[in-house]
Amino acid sequence: MPAKVIEGENYRFTVMTDYLMRIEWAVDGQFETRQTYFAQDRNFATPTTVQVHWHRQEHELEIETDGFHLYYEGGPFSDKTLWIDAKYGYEPYFSRWLFGRELIGGNLFGTAQTLDEADGEIPLAEGIVSRHGYALIDDADNNVILENQELGPQNRDQTDLYYFAYGHQYLQSIKDYFKLSGVPPILPRYALGNWWSRYYAYTQAEYQALFTRFDQEKVPFSVAVIDMDWHQTDIPISEGSGWTGYTWNQALFPKHQQLLAWLHQKGMKVTLNVHPAAGIRSFEKNYPAVAQHLALDAETKEPAVFDLQNSAFRRAYFEDVHHPLEDEGVDFWWIDWQQDRYFNNDGFNVLKALNHYHYLDNQKRNDGNALILSRYAGPGSQRYPLGFSGDTWISWESLKFQPYFTATASNIGYSWWSHDIGGHMIGSYDPELQTRWLQYGVFSPINRLHSSDNPFSGKEPWRYPVENRQIMDTFLRLRHQLIPYLDSENIKTNLDGVPLVQPIYYQYPEMDTYYDYRDEYFFGSELLVSAIVNKCEPQLQQSKATTWLPEGTWYDFFTHQKYAGEREINLYRPLGQYPVLVKQGGIIPMTESAHQNLTTLPEAIVVNIFGCADHEYVMYEHLGDQIATTTFKLTQAGHLAVTVVDPKQIVPSTRTFKMAMLDGPKLQIDNRTIFAITQEASHRPLIWFNKLNKRYN
């Protein structure tokens, strides 16, 4: 059965769940039924607690559920004719919203389009999670998505609001948001590794020398980003700016296909930066094909004006320009769009169109492994990962804002932010800042090192003192060892609607204290991170992270120090350590080696178990759209059952599991798989972290 619909000549109220309602007004009485950039699936299960009252207590209409009570007096919507009471006592008086009025406080915010030039905190748009228990999303100005996946005209409704009244059921509200607006796709595994990016005019030889040096240093990377200087930038003045370009700069990259093939042979993927605003002009290599398809006057150098509303331009844009570059070895695109102010967005948002069309095109050409890197374009953007957060300043204030910014984005379903780790511009040479920022990057959704063309801002570890350098190397290796855990959480985000990064109040919404710890967040189901965002204390030569530990017993991921929960604690850490905690019974799958091709599944998995408790952890793995699961079911007495479900046999037949137990008895292992399982004799795993890096340093 569909959702409960109550409608009149010009209005329609759709109760989608007992806590979610759509509110529409259309002057012509023709309501929007098509998908929009935000709304994808409005067909929820029938709510169970809806009561509809007509002409009760002089109200024309009342709609009541367990979550809210709507009052409508008839006629055009206004603050005198339509209001809703959320059924929660989280405000001092009562939780009422009047149509057309701003919500009164309580919202825990969502995210922002960009951190460009931000030196610290910036204002954030509202999300759907509120301490007062209710929130709104306005879908009236969005474009519809037609059956052929083309962005069509704007939503026909004059009013199209979604009222969320989930109280403090934060995770349930996010799950229903994902059902309504679309879940984040499963990212390709390679996206979870280390990315190298720099705004720098590399030559082909310099770029190869860079990654040869990383190989020598035994520091792994999975994505090579080449910023805008890959293409011609010195163009005839009559053609305008060199910011837009699609033709390889032969002076810098004389044999670019060899470079791309070389990077692929190393197991890396490649993305190029594009600023598409100027369209395709006559100096571009592929201009003749574009001119022919668009019937341009090539003799007068008539440009192909950038116009994504024009289907003919879109075909030329992708088929004549981007696809040939992809055929040469470009895996996906970094869409660096900042030109909104030069385009009339009235009725058509160019950034939304770029994200939509680029992602769909990449999806068609990369079965199960689609990806773009672009800017956030509002609710619904989670369907087009990844998010590029912009050019941040190199400062402690910028670092301090990023953990909060990233966790809070989950309140609008935006799970996959990619920051300029280490900062892009301004600032000064600060080894401590760079080390702490990189450590945060390892425990953030995407670890993309980036900097501007400045000798003091480069992110190569060897640019820093030996202590910092060794720590940076170690954490970059750790990121790749964590891929089994990261990919598992990546898949859970898609299947279960659970964001990778969660503010701690998601799990403890009734505890006022938990809302105050902005630097602290859950990183997947097993890890709790308390980011270090301040300089070290000179006398101690350690940095402090003030942390609230939830109930239970917790272990330090690196040192195995044991902590009792339900209290505030100051975690002091030297430069080489980072405050990452695991609850008793937590299970972290990792690889023994930091060096692996991330487009394949690893043969050896080290399963780190932090004490005994009744706990079940499911490790998901994927290749393309095929998924395998390994379930670890642990008991407080130390019994561990291991089960693998792999219908398409994507797990290597030579797979081995090595169980490493901390602070518990020798495991009694019930191996229900075809794979070999061994157990560390010492019961002191240290997660292979120190053992691995002693070998390298």
Side-chain angles (χ1 to χ4, degrees):
M1 292 287 292
K4 178 75 172 177
V5 178
I6 305 98
E7 63 183 306
E9 183 179 356
N10 303 111
Y11 67 83
R12 182 166 70 172
F13 301 109
T14 306
V15 185
M16 303 174 70
T17 77
D18 294 318
Y19 310 98
L20 173 60
M21 180 169 60
R22 186 184 186 193
I23 302 167
E24 296 172 273
W25 178 273
V27 171
D28 61 2
Q30 298 296 309
F31 300 108
E32 190 60 77
T33 59
R34 296 168 292 185
Q35 291 181 336
T36 68
Y37 186 86
F38 165 65
Q40 296 287 293
D41 181 4
R42 306 182 185 97
N43 188 26
F44 283 61
T46 304
T48 59
T49 65
V50 181
Q51 300 177 58
V52 180
H53 306 287
W54 295 94
H55 308 294
R56 188 175 76 165
Q57 297 185 46
E58 301 183 1
H59 303 300
E60 178 166 320
L61 169 66
E62 297 177 51
I63 304 172
E64 189 172 4
T65 73
D66 279 353
F68 58 84
H69 193 149
L70 175 145
Y71 300 86
Y72 177 48
E73 305 293 81
F77 293 162
S78 73
D79 57 2
K80 296 181 177 60
T81 63
L82 176 64
W83 64 91
I84 307 175
D85 290 339
K87 290 188 172 181
Y88 308 107
Y90 301 134
E91 289 191 56
Y93 304 108
F94 52 94
S95 300
R96 173 166 293 179
W97 168 71
L98 289 83
F99 180 86
R101 301 275 191 93
E102 289 188 11
L103 300 181
I104 302 174
N107 198 280
L108 291 165
F109 300 108
T111 194
Q113 180 171 314
T114 181
L115 294 175
D116 274 350
E117 300 182 6
D119 184 19
E121 189 158 352
I122 64 169
L124 301 177
E126 292 191 342
I128 62 160
V129 171
S130 170
R131 294 192 71 176
H132 289 175
Y134 58 99
L136 286 170
I137 286 184
D138 188 345
D139 199 30
D141 293 334
N142 263 325
N143 294 89
V144 300
I145 298 178
L146 305 177
E147 289 184 0
N148 63 359
Q149 289 298 301
E150 184 171 346
L151 278 184
Q154 280 186 295
N155 184 344
R156 64 164 62 99
D157 290 329
Q158 281 71 47
T159 296
D160 194 352
L161 296 171
Y162 291 85
Y163 177 82
F164 291 75
Y166 283 81
H168 289 174
Q169 302 174 86
Y170 297 151
L171 278 172
Q172 187 59 50
S173 69
I174 296 299
K175 289 182 180 183
D176 284 351
Y177 171 91
F178 282 146
K179 175 168 174 50
L180 170 62
S181 186
V183 293
I186 297 172
L187 303 186
R189 294 181 80 251
Y190 68 79
L192 303 171
N194 297 318
W195 297 38
W196 179 262
S197 175
R198 191 175 186 190
Y199 178 40
Y200 187 84
Y202 285 106
T203 67
Q204 181 167 340
E206 288 171 336
Y207 208 67
Q208 287 184 280
L210 172 72
F211 282 102
T212 299
R213 176 79 182 266
F214 278 127
D215 282 347
Q216 292 167 349
E217 304 275 338
K218 295 185 172 55
V219 174
F221 282 87
S222 60
V223 178
V225 183
I226 308 179
D227 212 318
M228 64 169 291
D229 287 293
W230 70 270
H231 63 73
Q232 295 179 20
T233 58
D234 185 11
I235 64 172
I237 193 169
S238 61
E239 300 278 10
S241 167
W243 203 245
T244 297
Y246 300 99
T247 304
W248 280 91
N249 185 335
Q250 293 299 309
L252 296 178
F253 299 95
K255 298 180 179 179
H256 65 273
Q257 287 180 261
Q258 289 184 11
L259 172 65
L260 300 180
W262 183 80
L263 290 167
H264 285 154
Q265 288 167 6
K266 295 170 64 59
M268 299 178 68
K269 299 295 184 177
V270 182
T271 183
L272 303 182
N273 175 284
V274 288
H275 298 90
I280 298 98
R281 293 164 289 178
S282 65
F283 63 86
E284 300 287 6
K285 176 182 177 182
N286 292 341
Y287 174 78
V290 173
Q292 181 179 357
H293 286 172
L294 297 181
L296 303 177
D297 185 352
E299 296 248 337
T300 63
K301 301 182 179 181
E302 180 184 2
V305 176
F306 180 79
D307 182 8
L308 284 183
Q309 288 183 271
N310 182 332
S311 60
F313 174 82
R314 286 201 310 272
R315 282 196 300 274
Y317 177 77
F318 286 112
E319 295 175 11
D320 297 332
V321 179
H322 288 81
H323 291 177
L325 291 165
E326 291 169 15
D327 291 341
E328 291 181 343
V330 178
D331 296 290
F332 65 99
W333 297 93
W334 173 10
I335 307 160
D336 199 354
W337 179 261
Q338 308 172 72
Q339 291 79 31
D340 288 335
R341 63 187 179 276
Y342 301 118
F343 286 78
N344 181 5
N345 271 349
D346 185 19
F348 189 81
N349 186 292
V350 180
L351 177 59
K352 290 179 180 178
L354 276 165
N355 292 353
H356 178 74
Y357 288 123
H358 261 281
Y359 188 82
L360 291 181
D361 187 72
N362 196 263
Q363 195 173 47
K364 290 176 185 175
R365 293 171 62 83
N366 294 274
D367 184 26
N369 279 305
L371 201 66
I372 62 172
L373 178 64
S374 187
R375 295 172 190 267
Y376 175 75
S381 295
Q382 72 278 356
R383 299 193 306 276
Y384 312 107
L386 301 162
F388 164 51
S389 66
D391 300 336
T392 51
W393 283 18
I394 300 170
S395 69
W396 283 97
E397 286 303 309
S398 292
L399 172 58
K400 187 175 182 63
F401 185 52
Q402 281 193 2
Y404 170 76
F405 177 82
T406 308
T408 302
S410 295
N411 294 338
I412 198 67
Y414 204 62
S415 301
W416 294 108
W417 268 125
S418 171
H419 303 305
D420 286 352
I421 296 300
H424 171 75
M425 58 192 292
I426 319 296
S428 59
Y429 180 78
D430 188 336
E432 182 190 0
L433 171 62
Q434 291 303 319
T435 304
R436 290 307 191 191
W437 211 327
L438 185 146
Q439 289 169 328
Y440 167 69
V442 169
F443 292 97
S444 70
I446 301 297
N447 189 34
R448 181 176 54 84
L449 308 188
H450 184 77
S451 63
S452 62
D453 183 4
N454 184 308
F456 299 104
S457 65
K459 302 304 185 291
E460 299 92 338
W462 53 83
R463 290 178 176 267
Y464 297 93
V466 63
E467 180 187 11
N468 303 80
R469 170 182 173 179
Q470 290 180 349
I471 294 167
M472 290 175 172
D473 288 351
T474 294
F475 273 81
L476 288 167
R477 294 173 194 133
L478 174 62
R479 176 73 183 199
H480 276 233
Q481 288 181 272
L482 283 167
I483 294 297
Y485 177 73
L486 293 169
D487 193 36
S488 183
E489 299 302 316
N490 163 35
I491 297 167
K492 289 176 190 175
T493 296
N494 174 267
L495 296 180
D496 301 334
V498 180
L500 168 69
V501 176
Q502 297 177 27
I504 59 172
Y505 52 74
Y506 273 28
Q507 302 292 338
Y508 306 94
E510 306 307 329
M511 301 290 290
D512 289 344
T513 304
Y514 286 56
Y515 292 86
D516 298 332
Y517 293 83
R518 295 181 20 144
D519 307 327
E520 187 175 349
Y521 55 92
F522 287 106
F523 192 57
S525 63
E526 308 296 290
L527 297 177
L528 176 66
V529 180
S530 188
I532 290 176
V533 295
N534 295 301
K535 295 181 180 181
C536 74
E537 299 189 8
Q539 290 183 323
L540 294 175
Q541 285 299 298
Q542 296 193 18
S543 298
K544 179 179 73 172
T546 300
T547 305
W548 183 269
L549 286 183
E551 44 78 29
T553 299
W554 296 81
Y555 295 91
D556 184 284
F557 179 81
F558 295 99
T559 69
H560 300 167
Q561 176 70 42
K562 193 172 180 178
Y563 300 97
E566 201 56 41
R567 63 189 176 119
E568 181 182 272
I569 187 170
N570 289 324
L571 298 175
Y572 289 89
R573 294 293 182 268
L575 195 61
Q577 295 176 11
Y578 206 68
V580 179
L581 302 168
V582 188
K583 195 171 184 179
Q584 185 169 351
I587 296 173
I588 314 292
M590 297 172 62
T591 60
E592 188 168 356
S593 170
H595 301 281
Q596 54 176 322
N597 187 330
L598 299 190
T599 62
T600 62
L601 298 183
E603 293 186 358
I605 297 287
V606 178
V607 182
N608 298 282
I609 302 173
F610 290 77
C612 284
D614 293 334
H615 180 51
E616 181 175 289
Y617 176 79
V618 180
M619 180 183 73
Y620 290 84
E621 300 177 271
H622 85 290
L623 287 178
D625 58 2
Q626 303 300 323
I627 296 175
T629 63
T630 302
T631 301
F632 303 95
K633 191 167 185 179
L634 178 68
T635 70
Q636 191 170 2
H639 181 270
L640 179 69
V642 184
T643 308
V644 174
V645 177
D646 183 17
K648 298 296 182 179
Q649 297 185 329
I650 63 172
V651 176
S653 60
T654 53
R655 165 68 55 84
T656 61
F657 293 100
K658 184 176 292 185
M659 304 299 168
M661 166 61 76
L662 166 70
D663 196 30
K666 184 174 181 179
L667 290 169
Q668 306 167 53
I669 298 175
D670 179 5
N671 184 0
R672 303 173 185 176
T673 79
I674 62 171
F675 306 112
I677 299 179
T678 59
Q679 187 172 172
E680 280 285 274
S682 67
H683 304 174
R684 296 284 301 176
L686 210 53
I687 324 151
W688 294 90
F689 182 73
N690 290 343
K691 185 184 297 186
L692 178 72
N693 289 289
K694 282 177 184 175
R695 187 188 316 158
Y696 290 140
N697 292 325

